[in-house]
Amino acid sequence: MTKKIKKIGFILTIFSIITVLTGIEVFAQKGGTEKGIIEGKVVDDKTGDPLIGARIMIKGTKRGGLSKYDGSYIIRKVDAGEYTLQFTYVGYSKAEVTNVVVKAGKTTKIDLSLKEESITSDEVVVTAKRVQETGAALLKERQKAESVSDAIGAEEISRSGGSDAADAIKQVTGATTVGGKYVFIRGLGDRYSSTQLNGANLPSADPDKKAVHLDLFPTNLIENITTIKTATPDKPGDFTGGTVDIKTKSFPDKFRMGFSASSSYNTNTTGADMLSYAGGGTDWLAIEDGTRDVPSDIRNADIPSITDARRDRDAAMELDRLSNAFNPLFAPTNEIAPVNGGFSFNVGDNMMDGKLGYLASLSYGRNYKSYDNGKIANYSQPGTESKELDAEYDATQVEGIYEVAWGAMANMAYNFDQNNDISFNFIYNRSGESKSVYQDGYRRYYGIDMETRILSYIERSISSYQLAGEHNFASMLGSKLDWQVSLSDNMQNQPDFRTFDNVYEWEEDEEGNMYKQYKLNTSDNNAVPSRYYRDLTEDLYGAKWNLEIPLKDVFDTPLDFKTGMLFNMKDRSFAESRYVFEQDRQTYSLKYNGDPNSFMADSTGLRDWASQGAFNYFGNYLVDWTSPAGSYTGEQTIMAGYGMIDWYATDEFRVVGGVRYETTDIETISKDTTKAKGIIDEQDVLPSVNLTYMLTEKMNIRAAYGKTIARPTFREIAPYNSEMPIEHKKFLGNPDLERTIIDNVDLRWEWFVNPGEILSVGGFYKRMENPIELAYVNANNNIQPRNVDEAIIYGLEFEFRKQLDFVDFLKDVSFGMNLTLVQSQVDIPEFELLQRRAFDENAESTRELQGQSPYIVNLDLSYANYESGTDANIHFNVFGKRLSEVGDGSPDYYEYPKPDLNIVFSQKFFDNFKAKLSVKNVLDAKNYKAVEFLGREYVSEQYLLGRTISLSLSYSLN
């Protein structure tokens, strides 16, 4: 609790400082006449590089400014009116921008690209036009980018109705999300993508995944999300599908403040009965207040054995006391689900005449979801002659989930001069998920029907602290240095994960009515009831620097050399405790009536005390099943250095290439010293080259090659086997896993037709050595990651965005589409192939890669009327059927397409207000997994989450 209080105190301190600064700034502005602002960026017309020290003047006045290291400039306190801007830079043609309209209290944005000076030194005159939306600016950056990339900006994110980064990323070409959290790029699994925040790696709050929980990042914090799909030496080498970089918003050009509130209605859940259970008093803050902690009497106790307690009075009394120390609640109850809701607040400003700026935000949301029409099942093949599968477990499932998520962000930046900036970024996100599950079905292992009840709570948090600087050295050929030091930490706490299994038989009473005759089951390692306590903490320390040296004057050709280094160190600690309640059947016969709560409250502990040498009689008694094998630690150190060039061989042909050297040192150690360590100690040389040929000013052809790697996660190589009670499976670690080495080839043609419009066609090819897949490794539904020898992946990508203004009445309508088609091929390992051909002699010797989607489709139709402030958007996303888990000789498990359609409408009014109405999951398509065997589908998982209708109102002062 101490660490939690410190973090909350730190956040509140930052907001207190900002509030004071805001008050001072607002007070200082009172009584003054509000003026306008002109800002923008000046870049080289050919390369897109920023021009440092360009002079921008308002013609006919003495007001103006100089561009900074990133090409940006700002002119403040400009009276309302219409002006002409003059742009000058040594070695470049002068330029004027006419008809620049400045309004009181508003910001006018003018970006300009200057051409190198010609013999005639002509002056270019440009007429200012309406500022384009964020998407157009991102496309311009993408046109000049050194590698193949895609991006989505804050404005498109807002239009799509997405509430977090996981929603937003689905609009990027070739991107999908799994479980509402994890990003898949080009249909590849989460291990083949990496996630960064402002260029710094982030740790994952999930012990079983590499991917970061994107649903932790609310969209009101995001400036844009960029996905880089081809390697360059200055980027980390651990990606294949792509690197997702979430860029948070920077401070504004003047004082701004905004507030929004939203509520939503779900057709499945809101106003209906849903499963739930009583938790802690601070669940609404996603903070466990200790209600679910291991009781203090238990934590360091030496629990007597039932053998001792049967004959020893003191041992019996102690076992009775400890057995009754836990909360007896084991079954969910019903509650009426309220309306979902949330709010966000942001404030930002710059002071000291623009040298110091800040932006802070706070967001909070709660969400209820449930279903009572679910199904869950596991299957096996009884024999090679069998034409059908046996259901190892086949049950209906009812589930209720209560989620809370909140986040805070604070950015501060100080501009020493046009050549030196320093910034600090802090972000904190927290989420809590309370889950209640009821299953009723058939368990083949017992040959009887079984009920399962599960109560689960998970709290997650992630903190990131980043200090960064950017500097330009005019005396060193205009060299640029950027550096960053970062600290991130995350935790996942799963306290008191409760499971209660009981078996029953259908009996018939005298009147012919069927009823459940309940029994208790303790015949296997899943003894009932059970309580799990799992705690994960992870810290990530990072530092990097990049130095870019222009060598144009040295070699008389547009050539830049870039070098840098990176250091990342990650520490993880994971611990699991488990307590079970067994029944003393040798001495006492317990009756169970179908209610776990009354059973635990009435039948736990000492039942009868025998004073004369006979046994002490117990009901449910406590056993500590905690094993050293349930805890492990992990350390990972990544070091890298690189050298690269960025060379315009001709005016049209650009070469970006070089070599990255990266070392990997990973070690996981179980607290069970008999377990093997998981160790990876490797060094990799990762060459890459990106070629760009500019057919015209608006058209590129790109080709790229890069060698990259994919590392297993701590959890995958940890010698730890974890129970998955909801799925009735086990996840087995594999200390023998190796990293994957990938050769990547990309080719893309792209035509930036007009601002905000693009047409592109691309292809890619990937060869993987030792790819990692999830597979069922035996008949007990155990899942384990493993290497296969090789995989080949190839595909096509299409993207089209077009403003429909060629038809007058459609001038405010735009259409976007992207399509990714992928084929993958894995040579089936010999032992797996032999098992497959044992029941199907014609079984193929190859199959698709686990986790790979064969297609991804995104469609977007938007209406945006800037004059009326009206926005409307229809967005559709779907991925193709993908191999979820390899059967390892038994049938494979597949995840089926789930078409997702969202509709969003927003309207501005009274200048500062906006109302937004959205309908998400319009099609209410089912989440569906199944096993395929001899042309038949066997449902493994199925449920519907309902449609969600949201209404939000926001206010912004700018």
Side-chain angles (χ1 to χ4, degrees):
M1 288 295 292
T2 302
K3 289 181 70 177
K4 298 174 183 175
I5 294 171
K6 286 182 178 179
K7 288 181 178 180
I8 294 172
F10 180 72
I11 295 168
L12 293 176
T13 300
I14 290 176
F15 271 91
S16 299
I17 294 171
I18 291 170
T19 302
V20 172
L21 292 173
T22 301
I24 295 172
E25 184 70 7
V26 172
F27 180 80
Q29 291 178 353
K30 283 186 176 180
T33 302
E34 195 173 15
K35 299 179 182 293
I37 294 173
I38 302 173
E39 69 170 13
K41 182 178 283 191
V42 187
V43 299
D44 182 286
D45 181 73
K46 181 175 69 173
T47 66
D49 292 335
L51 298 180
I52 305 167
R55 181 174 295 277
I56 303 95
M57 297 295 296
I58 301 176
K59 190 173 184 178
T61 74
K62 294 183 179 181
R63 298 197 58 76
L66 297 174
S67 60
K68 299 193 300 179
Y69 66 90
D70 59 354
S72 64
Y73 71 91
I74 188 167
I75 307 172
R76 306 178 187 278
K77 300 178 181 179
V78 181
D79 292 328
E82 186 173 309
Y83 300 95
T84 296
L85 290 184
Q86 294 178 322
F87 293 77
T88 58
Y89 190 68
V90 176
Y92 287 75
S93 298
K94 296 178 182 179
E96 285 190 355
V97 180
T98 62
N99 303 335
V100 178
V101 177
V102 178
K103 296 180 180 180
K106 303 293 184 182
T107 298
T108 301
K109 188 172 183 179
I110 301 295
D111 296 332
L112 196 69
S113 55
L114 295 180
K115 294 184 178 181
E116 286 194 83
E117 195 167 27
S118 61
I119 299 175
T120 57
S121 300
D122 291 335
E123 184 172 294
V124 180
V125 178
V126 181
T127 301
K129 295 182 179 180
R130 181 183 70 193
V131 178
Q132 296 294 329
E133 59 187 284
T134 307
L138 287 172
L139 280 180
K140 189 66 177 178
E141 291 185 15
R142 175 174 152 186
Q143 181 181 355
K144 301 295 183 181
E146 59 190 20
S147 59
V148 175
S149 64
D150 297 300
I152 180 173
E155 194 157 340
E156 290 88 341
I157 293 172
S158 175
R159 286 181 184 170
S160 70
S163 59
D164 52 53
D167 284 336
I169 194 68
K170 290 188 290 187
Q171 298 180 73
V172 174
T173 303
T176 59
T177 56
V178 177
K181 299 177 178 66
Y182 312 111
V183 62
F184 280 29
I185 304 295
R186 288 177 163 173
L188 290 163
D190 63 273
R191 77 175 64 260
Y192 299 110
S193 303
S194 62
T195 305
Q196 298 180 328
L197 181 68
N198 299 316
N201 284 347
L202 283 173
S204 172
D206 190 319
D208 299 333
K209 303 284 185 180
K210 174 192 175 186
V212 174
H213 280 217
L214 293 182
D215 60 338
L216 287 175
F217 299 93
T219 52
N220 70 301
L221 304 183
I222 300 171
E223 179 67 32
N224 60 62
I225 302 175
T226 301
T227 303
I228 300 170
K229 295 182 175 178
T230 59
T232 54
D234 58 339
K235 298 294 190 297
D238 61 337
F239 79 92
T240 302
T243 292
V244 177
D245 190 5
I246 302 171
K247 182 181 179 183
T248 55
K249 291 182 177 178
S250 58
F251 64 86
D253 48 32
K254 62 174 184 176
F255 177 73
R256 298 177 187 269
M257 183 176 67
F259 178 84
S260 70
S262 64
S263 63
S264 65
Y265 171 91
N266 181 270
T267 56
N268 263 17
T269 306
T270 308
D273 274 343
M274 66 170 279
L275 289 189
S276 180
Y277 80 97
T282 53
D283 283 5
W284 65 278
L285 284 174
I287 296 175
E288 164 55 31
D289 64 357
T291 300
R292 301 177 180 89
D293 286 351
V294 177
S296 56
D297 290 347
I298 301 289
R299 195 168 293 123
N300 298 310
D302 185 9
I303 302 174
S305 70
I306 188 63
T307 303
D308 292 338
R310 286 194 184 112
R311 293 188 177 275
D312 183 271
R313 179 181 179 87
D314 291 338
M317 297 301 291
E318 179 68 358
L319 182 58
D320 176 73
R321 184 180 71 87
L322 297 178
S323 297
N324 283 285
F326 284 95
N327 183 333
L329 180 66
F330 266 89
T333 57
N334 287 311
E335 72 165 321
I336 301 298
V339 173
N340 300 322
F343 72 87
S344 66
F345 170 77
N346 63 83
V347 60
D349 200 1
N350 61 71
M351 298 164 285
M352 299 174 60
D353 202 23
K355 287 185 174 293
L356 176 65
Y358 71 87
L359 174 68
S361 68
L362 178 68
S363 64
Y364 175 88
R366 69 174 192 182
N367 183 48
Y368 294 83
K369 57 186 178 182
S370 66
Y371 61 85
D372 57 11
N373 53 2
K375 179 180 174 63
I376 187 166
N378 298 318
Y379 299 92
S380 67
Q381 184 188 357
T384 58
E385 302 300 322
S386 175
K387 302 301 181 183
E388 294 183 346
L389 299 181
D390 282 346
E392 296 295 322
Y393 182 67
D394 188 355
T396 59
Q397 179 163 298
V398 182
E399 185 171 81
I401 299 174
Y402 168 49
E403 298 172 320
V404 169
W406 62 275
M409 183 191 77
N411 289 346
M412 293 187 180
Y414 185 76
N415 174 222
F416 292 92
D417 52 44
Q418 70 184 49
N419 293 317
N420 298 280
D421 275 4
I422 191 168
S423 62
F424 173 75
N425 174 277
F426 166 76
I427 190 165
Y428 179 79
N429 284 301
R430 191 175 192 92
S431 68
E433 178 188 84
S434 177
K435 181 182 293 187
S436 306
V437 179
Y438 172 75
Q439 298 173 351
D440 186 358
Y442 178 78
R443 187 75 181 267
R444 184 170 175 267
Y445 182 85
Y446 307 124
I448 199 168
D449 289 317
M450 186 173 79
E451 292 179 329
T452 296
R453 292 173 175 87
I454 292 172
L455 305 180
S456 168
Y457 182 78
I458 300 178
E459 58 175 343
R460 297 184 177 97
S461 72
I462 183 169
S463 304
S464 175
Y465 311 83
Q466 299 176 347
L467 183 65
E470 295 181 320
H471 312 276
N472 178 69
F473 303 99
S475 60
M476 296 174 56
L477 302 174
S479 299
K480 304 172 192 176
L481 172 70
D482 67 80
W483 55 270
Q484 185 181 75
V485 179
S486 61
L487 167 63
S488 298
D489 65 80
N490 74 63
M491 73 86 185
Q492 176 176 284
N493 182 28
Q494 190 174 25
D496 207 2
F497 181 96
R498 282 164 266 184
T499 69
F500 191 101
D501 294 340
N502 64 266
V503 296
Y504 66 88
E505 293 178 340
W506 286 104
E507 301 285 353
E508 185 176 357
D509 62 20
E510 295 178 355
E511 298 177 357
N513 298 316
M514 303 300 294
Y515 68 95
K516 291 181 178 179
Q517 179 63 50
Y518 290 102
K519 300 181 179 182
L520 295 172
N521 168 53
T522 56
S523 61
D524 73 343
N525 288 337
N526 294 313
V528 292
S530 293
R531 315 182 85 115
Y532 297 84
Y533 295 83
R534 294 166 174 167
D535 183 70
L536 176 146
T537 59
E538 188 170 283
D539 296 314
L540 175 63
Y541 309 88
K544 67 175 184 177
W545 60 264
N546 301 286
L547 177 64
E548 186 175 352
I549 306 172
L551 298 175
K552 178 180 179 181
D553 293 339
V554 176
F555 295 102
D556 195 29
T557 186
L559 175 67
D560 291 347
F561 174 74
K562 191 174 182 180
T563 187
M565 297 187 70
L566 173 141
F567 172 83
N568 279 331
M569 184 174 69
K570 186 189 299 184
D571 292 323
R572 172 180 286 190
S573 175
F574 177 83
E576 177 186 82
S577 301
R578 184 181 180 189
Y579 300 91
V580 302
F581 288 86
E582 294 188 351
Q583 288 81 45
D584 187 11
R585 297 185 179 185
Q586 293 185 27
T587 61
Y588 198 82
S589 178
L590 292 180
K591 300 296 183 182
Y592 174 67
N593 64 1
D595 181 2
N597 294 335
S598 64
F599 175 73
M600 295 303 299
D602 300 337
S603 303
T604 298
L606 187 63
R607 300 292 90 195
D608 291 297
W609 166 251
S611 60
Q612 299 295 328
F615 286 135
N616 302 315
Y617 295 164
F618 273 81
N620 300 307
Y621 64 92
L622 183 66
V623 180
D624 185 351
W625 275 20
T626 301
S627 167
S631 300
Y632 68 91
T633 58
E635 293 184 0
Q636 173 180 287
T637 301
I638 308 296
M639 292 189 289
Y642 73 90
M644 62 179 284
I645 63 166
D646 185 352
W647 176 38
Y648 279 83
T650 68
D651 288 347
E652 296 81 19
F653 186 54
R654 183 184 185 185
V655 180
V656 177
V659 176
R660 183 180 187 88
Y661 178 74
E662 199 159 285
T663 67
T664 301
D665 185 4
I666 305 176
E667 183 177 62
T668 59
I669 304 174
S670 173
K671 287 191 177 181
D672 184 345
T673 56
T674 65
K675 300 285 187 181
K677 295 180 181 180
I679 296 175
I680 294 180
D681 185 6
E682 300 287 352
Q683 299 79 42
D684 293 290
V685 177
L686 306 174
S688 64
V689 61
N690 284 260
L691 307 176
T692 305
Y693 184 76
M694 288 155 278
L695 292 170
T696 69
E697 289 186 355
K698 296 183 178 181
M699 195 179 296
N700 293 332
I701 292 181
R702 297 181 182 272
Y705 165 79
K707 184 181 288 290
T708 60
I709 58 177
R711 304 181 180 96
T713 66
F714 281 136
R715 175 64 193 92
E716 289 173 330
I717 64 172
Y720 161 60
N721 301 336
S722 57
E723 300 282 350
M724 303 166 65
I726 296 178
E727 298 84 1
H728 297 269
K729 302 174 183 177
K730 283 186 180 180
F731 188 97
L732 313 182
N734 184 358
D736 297 324
L737 280 180
E738 301 178 31
R739 78 199 188 293
T740 305
I741 301 174
I742 308 104
D743 291 297
N744 308 269
V745 178
D746 279 77
L747 184 65
R748 177 183 282 191
W749 169 82
E750 50 192 17
W751 180 20
F752 300 88
V753 185
N754 288 306
E757 299 181 348
I758 185 174
L759 176 62
S760 73
V761 180
F764 57 89
Y765 170 89
K766 299 177 185 294
R767 177 189 172 275
M768 295 182 174
E769 179 184 337
N770 296 323
I772 301 171
E773 297 185 315
L774 294 179
Y776 284 94
V777 293
N778 54 41
N780 296 322
N781 288 315
N782 293 338
I783 299 175
Q784 187 177 48
R786 68 178 189 189
N787 293 109
V788 292
D789 290 338
E790 183 182 77
I792 301 296
I793 302 169
Y794 53 93
L796 295 172
E797 290 181 325
F798 305 89
E799 183 179 10
F800 175 71
R801 296 189 207 172
K802 175 63 179 171
Q803 193 78 23
L804 305 184
D805 51 4
F806 55 87
V807 180
D808 186 60
F809 68 89
L810 296 178
K811 66 182 188 317
D812 296 318
V813 179
S814 62
F815 173 74
M817 179 275 290
N818 61 72
L819 168 66
T820 303
L821 302 173
V822 186
Q823 289 291 318
S824 63
Q825 180 177 299
V826 171
D827 290 329
I828 297 176
E830 184 176 355
F831 67 91
E832 179 186 336
L833 184 60
L834 288 174
Q835 293 185 61
R836 288 175 181 263
R837 288 183 172 171
F839 64 87
D840 182 3
E841 62 181 14
N842 297 317
E844 297 286 343
S845 61
T846 62
R847 56 165 168 77
E848 63 267 49
L849 178 69
Q850 182 263 323
Q852 176 69 62
S853 294
Y855 64 83
I856 301 162
V857 179
N858 286 292
L859 300 175
D860 185 274
L861 184 65
S862 297
Y863 172 85
N865 189 315
Y866 290 89
E867 294 179 0
S868 66
T870 304
D871 274 351
N873 178 274
I874 301 174
H875 182 260
F876 175 81
N877 169 269
V878 68
F879 61 84
K881 185 180 75 173
R882 55 193 172 207
L883 179 59
S884 178
E885 292 94 17
V886 178
D888 195 18
S890 61
D892 299 322
Y893 284 70
Y894 286 88
E895 182 179 3
Y896 283 72
K898 181 185 175 298
D900 187 21
L901 178 66
N902 299 324
I903 301 174
V904 183
F905 174 83
S906 68
Q907 177 64 56
K908 290 183 179 179
F909 57 97
F910 299 144
D911 291 334
N912 301 104
F913 289 89
K914 178 189 280 189
K916 182 185 292 184
L917 175 67
S918 66
V919 183
K920 300 179 69 175
N921 194 26
V922 175
L923 303 176
D924 195 17
K926 62 185 175 183
N927 294 268
Y928 186 70
K929 289 177 66 174
V931 179
E932 293 187 355
F933 183 67
L934 298 180
R936 177 180 169 187
E937 290 181 7
Y938 294 78
V939 179
S940 170
E941 185 177 325
Q942 180 176 297
Y943 58 92
L944 295 168
L945 287 176
R947 301 169 180 85
T948 300
I949 303 169
S950 304
L951 180 64
S952 68
L953 180 66
S954 60
Y955 171 83
S956 60
L957 177 65
N958 50 45

